[in-house]
Amino acid sequence: MNELNRRSAPGAGPAAPIRTVHLGLGAFFRAHQAWYTHVANSGGDAEPAGIAAFTGRRPDAALPLQAQDGLYHLLVRDAGGDRTELIASISAAYDGADAEAWRRTLADPLVGTLTLTVTEAGYRRGPDGGPDLDNPAVASDVERLRAGHTDVTTAPGRILSALAARQAADAGPLAIVPCDNLVDNGPTLARVLNGLAAAVDDGLAQWLAGQVSFVSTTIDRITPATTPEDREVVAKLSGFADAAPVVTEPFSEWVLAGDFPAGRPAWERGGARFVPDVSVFEQRKVWLLNGAHSLLAYAGPTRGHATVAEAINDPVCRGWVETWWNEAVRHLPLPPDDTTRYREDLLERFTNPRIRHNLAQIAMDGSQKLPIRVLPVLTRERADGRLPEGGVHALAGWLAHLRDGTAVRDPRGEELTNAVSGPVPEAARRMLRALDAPLADDHDLVEAVAATCRGLVP
Ligand code: CS2
């Protein structure tokens, strides 16, 4: 079996000069943004754009890529079979704790874009949408940045540290492209970073306002965790002992809105669309795909399911999802044939038997995900006088998940699991209060969530 590197795989070509930096070197980034950049580079005529990718929370994620000169395979699985694609766009992979490399790379005038996958929780937003300055990690980063230190730990702190280096190097403008499932992710990140910069240094805040463009994006590609068996399939298909392959589906979507003052890779070659406003694409994706994912992640295990495909093939779970979709599409400004087609595609993607997408992976960080995926539809339905059964099932499933407590992985996990002990109706009220305070005063909703939870776990 061949080792994978740029000598053993000459088709990959030499590492391209770095034009893009990425924070959050995980599987999703490698199935999505790195793939689009790879396709952009395969166009022949364009100047190839390499990526310097830094790990977010797991330093070891960079090691196998360093050993493989940044190369890895995508294992693209559809119902009909598997194929591999060699991805060559990552020119350098770094442990994110390497503050020197991080600052140096972003201070390079040839770098024009910074893409991010730092998870919903990684943006460290406070209740007012600005930076969560009461959070000890954020507060400590502010102190350290003020004192000129570079060893900061939060994603906004690290970005700001690198922007200060870019300002000092007079390296010119930059586009920052957040690729996490947040509402208005460009302006959302802008508020956090502007707030943090104002708390650290006025000069930096002014530079940021003039030099940094925040691009909003909707991103989509289902990317389950890679297993040892997947690595064997890649070895068999490609002939390489790839230590870092990524499994994904054939489908992929990227919609972007915003300016790129220092240029960007030709992502449209991979099908990326540049539009004036992403909100309708974002709502469609986050409510229909991610909302259904979260519903299945919490309610599915109560019926013994471990993966999306298992759950969606259960007519009871499928019924909850269809109900949720009926509720969500009422609030999407899209023609019915668009949402009908989108739902059909989603069913095909969810039932893909070759994608083993664990519900436990999706269940992480519910306190950050539900306000974006489920509450916007739920509150609109309540305002219209309806009690939406699909949305209620998502919340009731979350309540069951929190009360069970064994699989909770959430930045507010301790607070939430404490809040949901005791009798179910009180637990439902406390859970809703923690999620969005006014919901706890909606008695019909509290009762419906409690009754549905009892139905799920009698
Ligand atoms: C999933 C998403 O883990 C989750 O919460 O809902 O990662 C989902 O697979 C992606 O957004 C698909 O684009």
Side-chain angles (χ1 to χ4, degrees):
M1 192 63 56
N2 291 320
E3 280 182 16
L4 180 59
N5 54 53
R6 290 187 193 261
R7 276 185 321 281
S8 63
I18 290 164
R19 299 279 183 264
T20 300
V21 174
H22 183 81
L23 178 60
L25 175 46
F28 181 76
F29 152 70
R30 294 197 284 134
H32 195 275
Q33 298 90 39
W35 176 80
Y36 279 91
T37 303
H38 175 78
V39 176
N41 289 344
S42 314
D45 53 351
E47 270 235 324
I51 303 172
F54 290 77
T55 62
R57 292 185 293 197
R58 287 188 32 217
D60 56 336
L63 296 176
L65 284 170
Q66 287 167 355
Q68 295 180 175
D69 295 337
L71 300 180
Y72 61 96
H73 291 86
L74 279 187
L75 176 58
V76 185
R77 316 198 106 156
D78 68 19
D82 293 334
R83 66 184 163 83
T84 56
E85 244 181 280
L86 180 62
I87 306 301
S89 55
I90 298 183
S91 296
Y94 293 100
D95 173 353
D98 185 345
E100 202 279 317
W102 168 246
R103 286 166 50 88
R104 174 175 31 87
T105 314
L106 264 162
D108 182 340
L110 294 179
V111 165
T113 47
L114 166 63
T115 53
L116 308 173
T117 48
V118 297
T119 79
E120 290 88 336
Y123 290 82
R124 308 282 187 156
R125 285 159 301 150
D128 66 349
D132 189 0
L133 296 170
D134 293 335
N135 177 284
V138 178
S140 146
D141 276 5
V142 170
E143 285 311 312
R144 303 191 75 73
L145 289 165
R146 272 199 196 132
H149 295 306
T150 56
D151 55 339
V152 286
T153 60
T154 66
R158 287 159 68 183
I159 297 166
L160 206 63
S161 170
L163 293 179
R166 193 170 177 93
Q167 178 195 16
D170 198 14
L174 180 79
I176 306 190
V177 188
C179 302
D180 291 284
N181 293 312
L182 300 172
V183 181
D184 277 346
N185 51 17
T188 295
L189 174 64
R191 279 198 66 184
V192 172
L193 279 185
N194 287 331
L196 204 62
V200 169
D201 168 12
D202 279 344
L204 178 57
Q206 268 169 30
W207 181 87
L208 205 148
Q211 297 289 312
V212 178
S213 159
F214 292 93
V215 177
S216 278
T217 64
T218 296
I219 67 279
D220 190 5
R221 196 163 203 186
I222 290 172
T223 310
T226 306
T227 64
E229 294 75 53
D230 298 328
R231 274 191 270 281
E232 276 169 31
V233 174
V234 170
K236 225 173 261 154
L237 290 174
S238 70
F240 286 104
D242 185 341
V246 176
V247 179
T248 196
E249 60 174 345
F251 180 92
S252 183
E253 182 178 60
W254 200 3
V255 189
L256 305 96
D259 297 328
F260 290 85
R264 61 165 173 80
W267 290 323
E268 62 277 14
R269 291 214 165 108
R273 276 179 293 168
F274 294 84
V275 300
D277 181 3
V278 297
S279 43
V280 69
F281 299 99
E282 170 197 289
Q283 288 173 337
R284 184 177 70 175
K285 191 264 171 171
V286 173
W287 296 353
L288 299 184
L289 186 152
N290 297 110
H293 259 180
S294 290
L295 193 172
L296 293 174
Y298 300 126
T302 68
R303 295 184 52 81
H305 304 307
T307 67
V308 172
E310 273 170 34
I312 201 74
N313 281 319
D314 171 349
V316 174
C317 295
R318 165 95 61 117
W320 297 335
V321 167
E322 294 282 4
T323 306
W324 163 249
W325 284 343
N326 291 339
E327 292 155 4
V329 298
R330 281 203 276 268
H331 306 283
L332 281 174
L334 286 166
D337 54 330
D338 177 293
T339 52
T340 303
R341 211 175 30 246
Y342 193 83
R343 288 168 62 159
E344 284 165 6
D345 288 349
L346 277 185
L347 278 179
E348 198 180 315
R349 295 171 65 196
F350 284 3
T351 51
N352 182 339
R354 308 184 58 76
I355 294 280
R356 202 186 146 71
H357 199 182
N358 285 322
L359 294 173
Q361 183 182 341
I362 300 167
M364 265 177 68
D365 295 348
S367 69
Q368 311 296 307
K369 292 175 174 174
L370 291 170
I372 293 163
R373 302 173 173 202
V374 173
L375 296 193
V377 173
L378 185 98
T379 48
R380 283 168 171 82
E381 285 284 281
R382 292 305 287 140
D384 290 350
R386 282 187 293 266
L387 198 51
E389 235 185 273
V392 166
H393 268 84
L395 295 181
W398 194 47
L399 181 56
H401 166 85
L402 293 174
R403 281 171 71 79
D404 171 74
T406 53
V408 176
R409 286 164 69 200
D410 192 300
R412 293 175 65 192
E414 202 181 319
E415 168 205 343
L416 287 161
T417 43
N418 287 337
V420 298
S421 59
V424 179
E426 273 316 300
R429 192 182 311 282
R430 284 194 297 267
M431 177 199 83
L432 290 171
R433 178 160 300 126
L435 203 53
D436 184 17
L439 294 179
D441 300 326
D442 181 340
H443 301 294
D444 292 346
L445 178 66
V446 174
E447 263 176 39
V449 170
T452 306
C453 180
R454 277 206 218 89
L456 292 174
V457 267

